[in-house]
Structure formats: structure tokens, C-alpha cells
Amino acid sequence: MLHTPATLATPDPLAHTRARPLHWLATATAMAAVIAAAGFVQPATGTPAATDEPSAKGPQATAPDPAAVAYPLDCKGAPQAVTATAQGDLDGDGRPETVAAVRCDAGSGTPPHAIYVLTQDRAEGARPRVVATLLDTPQRRTATELTVRDRTVTASLLGYSGPEVPRCCPDKKQLAKWRWADGKFRQELTDSAARSV
């Protein structure tokens, strides 16, 4: 018996390969769900705390407030004025200190500055306090451009070339730096050749 080959019909494209509006809607819905879910899953940010070190942050991780300190500055009844501040970790304990330039608010002339380092104990409710005096008022200097960077305090100090120079108009400028070393602040890298202002 002879067999004749069957005639094969041209196959129709598969139904699932044709894009229909329902397919587009399903794809768009799935993509929206994936994007929405990705919004809820965020990578962790910040640096994880080391577990082998004592907690440096404690309840007080911000720099001490210079307005909350009683400064050892005798203004003979005049108010005190904090004219500049800078913050940074000066002693490497992981907690920031505040450096404050303070003078008497005399109303005229240029009262000399004192520069103080402030710290605050970790205990909750502890008040900031002065722990070091970098510049004292008998040195008759005005502090400007106060910064803390790389554990070093830097200030431009304006002063006077002689007693005849009016106190309103300092005519000398020095750059002074203080760095914590061996348990105290040491003044270093000071421009000893004062420049005329």
C-alpha cells in the first residue's frame, strides 16, 4: 500500500507571542509592583559601630553648646559675647569638643578675646564646661577665622605693634595653631613673624 505524505499546514503563530492590550497591562502592573517593592528595600547607610570599642557617642554626641557655659572671663559687669565657634574631635575620643572665642561686650573699642575649649560629660543632663584656655585676655589679641580641622585649632590673631596703637585698630596679624598632645594643648606652627595688617 502506497502512502502519500500528509500535507502540512503552515503553522499559525503561537497565540501567546502576539501582544494584546491585556498583555501590556499585565506587564506594566508587574513592573510597577517591582519598582514599588524596590522603594521599600534600601541599602543600609552609615558606618556600623565597632563592637570592641566603648560607646563614644553616648547620650550626648553633639558638640557642647557655647551659650550654656559660664566662662572664667571678668567683664566687670559687662556682658560676655561669644563671637566665633568651631567644633571637632580634638582629643580623639570620638566625641566633638567646641572651641569658643569669647570677649567682653564693652560696646566700644576692641576688647581682647579669650579662646576656650569646651567639653561635655556623657551623663544625661551634664552641662558643658571649660577644660582649657588656649588664649587669655592679658595677651591683648583679637581672634578671627577660628577653625578646627585634623584635630587642630587654628585662629588668626590680631594685635598691636606698640602701646601707642589705638585699641580700635590692631595693626599686626599672626596665625596660631594648637594641637592636643601628651595630655595638653600645645601651640605649634605659629607665624612668629607678625605681619602688618
Side-chain angles (χ1 to χ4, degrees):
M1 174 186 224
L2 294 173
H3 293 284
T4 57
T7 307
L8 297 174
T10 306
D12 222 8
L14 300 175
H16 68 275
T17 62
R18 283 183 255 151
R20 292 192 175 131
L22 183 58
H23 292 133
W24 287 112
L25 180 62
T27 302
T29 303
M31 289 300 294
V34 168
I35 292 170
F40 290 112
V41 180
Q42 296 291 328
T45 58
T47 305
T51 56
D52 57 344
E53 293 180 10
S55 173
K57 300 297 179 194
Q60 176 62 30
T62 59
D65 179 7
V69 176
Y71 295 99
L73 184 61
D74 182 13
C75 291
K76 306 200 182 328
Q80 297 176 351
V82 177
T83 61
T85 62
Q87 292 81 28
D89 181 9
L90 295 170
D91 57 4
D93 68 351
R95 299 175 57 222
E97 284 79 31
T98 296
V99 181
V102 186
R103 69 179 186 191
C104 297
D105 195 4
S108 63
T110 308
H113 274 107
I115 299 178
Y116 300 109
V117 178
L118 315 177
T119 191
Q120 189 164 350
D121 293 331
R122 290 185 177 134
E124 190 170 346
R127 295 181 56 83
R129 58 191 170 83
V130 174
V131 292
T133 302
L134 304 182
L135 178 73
D136 210 352
T137 54
Q139 294 174 271
R140 314 271 324 149
R141 299 285 186 259
T142 301
T144 63
E145 303 168 22
L146 186 65
T147 61
V148 172
R149 187 173 297 124
D150 298 327
R151 298 174 59 183
T152 302
V153 179
T154 305
S156 291
L157 302 180
L158 305 178
Y160 308 94
S161 59
E164 68 284 350
V165 178
R167 297 296 111 181
C168 68
C169 311
D171 62 345
K172 294 290 183 182
K173 182 176 183 177
Q174 278 186 306
L175 181 66
K177 295 186 179 187
W178 296 268
R179 185 173 178 82
W180 181 260
D182 300 324
K184 63 181 179 179
F185 284 98
R186 297 183 185 277
Q187 191 170 359
E188 61 180 33
L189 302 175
T190 301
D191 180 5
S192 57
R195 301 184 309 271
S196 295
V197 176

